[in-house]
Amino acid sequence: MKINILAVGTKMSNWIDAGCNEYLKRFPKSWELQIKEIVQKQHHSKHSVENIKIMESDVIMQNVKHGTYLVALDENGAEMNSMALSKKIEVWQMEGRNLTVIIGGPNGLSKDLLQKCDFIWSLSQLTFPHPLARLILLEQLYRAWTITNKHPYHRP
C-alpha cells in the first residue's frame, strides 16, 4: 500500500522531524509512506484567509495522483478510535487503492477540496497545530498497522 501524505508547512521543529522519522522507519517495506510538504501561503493584505485556503488547496490537488483514495484531516470530519482506523485501512488495502492523506495549514482546507475527498477524518475534538497533526497521523497509521498485524505496540 502506498500512502502519500500531503502536508502544508515546511521547516518543522527538530522534535517533529525526529518523531516523524521514528515512525516512518517503523513501517514495513510493503507500506510505502511518503510525506510531501506544501509551502504555506503567507498572509498578505491582498489575500483573504479564504483565498489562501484556495491557493494552498490548488497546490495540494496538483500533487494528488489519479485514482488514489483521498482523505482530508479536518476538524469537522468523522472521528474514529484506533481499532476502527485499523479496520478502515484494511478495507482500503483490500480495495487495492493507494491512499493520500491531506493535512492543511493553520487556515484549514478549502470547501472545494473537502468536497473532492473520499473521506474526511478528524483526529480529535481537540485542536492541534498542523505540525503536531503530522506526527499524530503517523503514530495512528503505525498503530493501525500494529493492530492489524497483532504487534504488541497497541495494548487495548
Side-chain angles (χ1 to χ4, degrees), residues 8-152:
V8 174
T10 57
K11 299 178 186 168
M12 297 295 109
S13 300
N14 290 340
W15 67 273
I16 291 288
D17 282 338
C20 289
N21 289 331
E22 176 62 32
Y23 283 107
L24 285 169
K25 73 181 183 184
R26 291 181 185 196
F27 283 97
K29 297 283 187 247
S30 61
W31 277 41
E32 298 176 41
L33 269 95
Q34 176 184 348
I35 298 175
K36 174 146 177 80
E37 294 180 332
I38 307 295
V39 175
Q40 179 181 327
K41 301 294 182 193
Q42 299 301 314
H43 278 89
H44 297 289
S45 57
K46 62 182 177 180
H47 297 302
S48 68
V49 169
E50 199 55 42
N51 283 345
I52 290 171
K53 291 192 315 189
I54 290 168
M55 288 187 291
E56 288 174 348
S57 294
D58 287 346
V59 175
I60 289 167
M61 287 307 296
Q62 291 169 11
N63 286 278
V64 172
K65 294 179 176 122
H66 180 71
T68 189
Y69 193 86
L70 198 54
V71 175
L73 296 184
D74 185 79
E75 65 185 351
N76 297 311
E79 289 188 38
M80 295 182 282
N81 64 26
S82 298
M83 296 298 287
L85 176 61
S86 71
K87 298 259 186 263
K88 191 166 271 303
I89 289 174
E90 279 184 279
V91 169
W92 293 335
Q93 281 183 298
M94 290 188 331
E95 290 175 353
R97 292 172 72 189
N98 293 325
L99 181 66
T100 297
V101 182
I102 300 168
I103 303 172
N107 298 309
L109 300 167
S110 72
K111 290 177 186 173
D112 185 51
L113 186 145
L114 290 172
Q115 289 174 348
K116 292 175 183 172
C117 291
D118 297 298
F119 184 70
I120 301 173
W121 174 25
S122 171
L123 292 176
S124 170
Q125 290 183 9
L126 300 171
T127 301
F128 300 117
H130 59 281
L132 188 54
R134 187 182 302 194
L135 181 57
I136 292 169
L137 170 65
L138 287 172
E139 192 281 335
Q140 284 301 298
L141 290 173
Y142 178 72
R143 183 176 297 275
W145 177 83
T146 65
I147 291 168
T148 301
N149 292 280
K150 301 185 180 14
H151 185 281

